[in-house]
Amino acid sequence: MSSRPAARTELRAGPAPTVRADRPGTAAHRPPAGQRHQDSRPPRAPHPTPASFGTGSLSRAAALIHTLLTVEALLLVAASPGLAGLLLLGPAPANLPLAAVCLLPLGPATAAAVYALDHRDRDLTDLHPARSYWRGWRLNAVPALKLWTPLLAWLTVIAFTLTHFAATGLPGWWAVLLAAVGAGSLLWGAHALVLTALFAFRARDTARLAGYFLFRHGRATLGAASLLVLTAAGTAVLTEALPALLAAPLLLSLLHSSRPVIAETQEDFTE
């Protein structure tokens, strides 16, 4: 690509000094556009506990497990209206549009989970994953929907076409092409998810950056592809509920594989 996408130039008001927002989703509680979301918690007070407590390997592992379990539970709660609707739908291809509508809450819920995992504490004595999650949901609900909705609609069209491919009369290689386009769209969506969760760009700038990084950082894209293949294989072999049950560990892996994307975005595309 000959030129890099430009980040949003106009600034928004900075985040509130505390986690609580007067009205969720307002611009006043998002950081300036083109900057990374910051944690608005006040500075930590010194703990009266010994300095060695909460810093060992076992404590860090316990803190990670606590964060993963909390984020997993909150993600399921935030996406529960749509997940409940999916349970009522049958597997018929005609239900694909309704299934897409049910999956709409999953976009903001997943973006909030990525935000909470990125802002997780490693000190066992000061863990607040629930507070980070709901702050991430307030910051990212609307931006995530702006990208998640068209992506979901596009994937629904592809899935509907593939399930009714015999009726289209198209040659077989079209099915392979559509499947490849769908997989590429999911990988683009993985980059867009991370960028939306951690940075304050306009939707169109996030979309352009996600497309740019799709080829710019092949290792990050391959990491997202491996998670996609692993999830699809586990779902086919074990249970359809596997992606929901392992959402937090999968998103943490996506976050780690996206570190080069995050670093370049913060260095070259933020103010």
Side-chain angles (χ1 to χ4, degrees):
M1 185 175 292
S2 59
S3 61
R4 296 179 176 178
R8 187 175 185 178
T9 55
E10 64 267 26
L11 297 179
R12 299 180 186 175
T18 60
V19 174
R20 182 180 179 185
D22 294 334
R23 190 177 66 181
T26 59
H29 301 290
R30 289 181 61 82
Q35 292 190 5
R36 185 168 181 176
H37 293 319
Q38 300 295 329
D39 196 345
S40 62
R41 291 177 296 176
R44 299 177 183 176
H47 271 286
T49 53
S52 59
F53 183 77
T55 59
S57 300
L58 185 59
S59 296
R60 290 196 300 269
L64 175 60
I65 293 173
H66 173 78
T67 300
L68 288 175
L69 291 176
T70 303
V71 170
E72 177 73 31
L74 293 177
L75 188 153
L76 293 177
V77 169
S80 59
L83 296 179
L86 284 178
L87 294 177
L88 300 177
L89 293 178
N95 290 330
L96 282 172
L98 291 176
V101 174
C102 292
L103 288 173
L104 282 176
L106 188 61
T110 306
V114 173
Y115 177 91
L117 292 172
D118 183 69
H119 290 76
R120 66 186 179 92
D121 292 305
R122 291 164 175 81
D123 185 357
L124 189 60
T125 62
D126 191 21
L127 297 179
H128 304 283
R131 185 168 64 184
S132 296
Y133 182 90
W134 291 119
R135 172 173 168 77
W137 194 93
R138 290 194 301 269
L139 286 171
N140 297 309
V142 174
L145 281 176
K146 288 181 179 179
L147 293 172
W148 178 242
T149 303
L151 174 62
L152 201 57
W154 172 239
L155 292 175
T156 302
V157 170
I158 293 177
F160 193 85
T161 303
L162 289 176
T163 54
H164 297 80
F165 191 77
T168 64
L170 296 172
W173 60 270
W174 268 94
V176 178
L177 179 61
L178 283 174
V181 171
S185 300
L186 285 173
L187 296 177
W188 173 89
H191 288 313
L193 169 66
V194 174
L195 293 173
T196 300
L198 303 184
F199 298 93
F201 293 108
R202 292 178 298 187
R204 64 185 181 188
D205 292 328
T206 301
R208 293 171 62 196
L209 279 172
Y212 169 72
F213 287 128
L214 193 62
F215 302 100
R216 167 72 173 173
H217 288 290
R219 182 171 297 181
T221 302
L222 286 176
S226 65
L227 291 175
L228 177 62
V229 172
L230 180 64
T231 303
T235 301
V237 174
L238 299 176
T239 172
E240 295 178 354
L242 185 66
L245 296 176
L246 296 180
L250 290 172
L251 291 174
L252 183 62
S253 300
L254 176 64
L255 189 61
H256 281 298
S257 66
S258 301
R259 289 301 177 192
V261 172
I262 297 171
E264 183 171 343
T265 302
Q266 191 163 10
E267 180 179 354
D268 294 343
F269 297 103
T270 57
E271 299 169 352

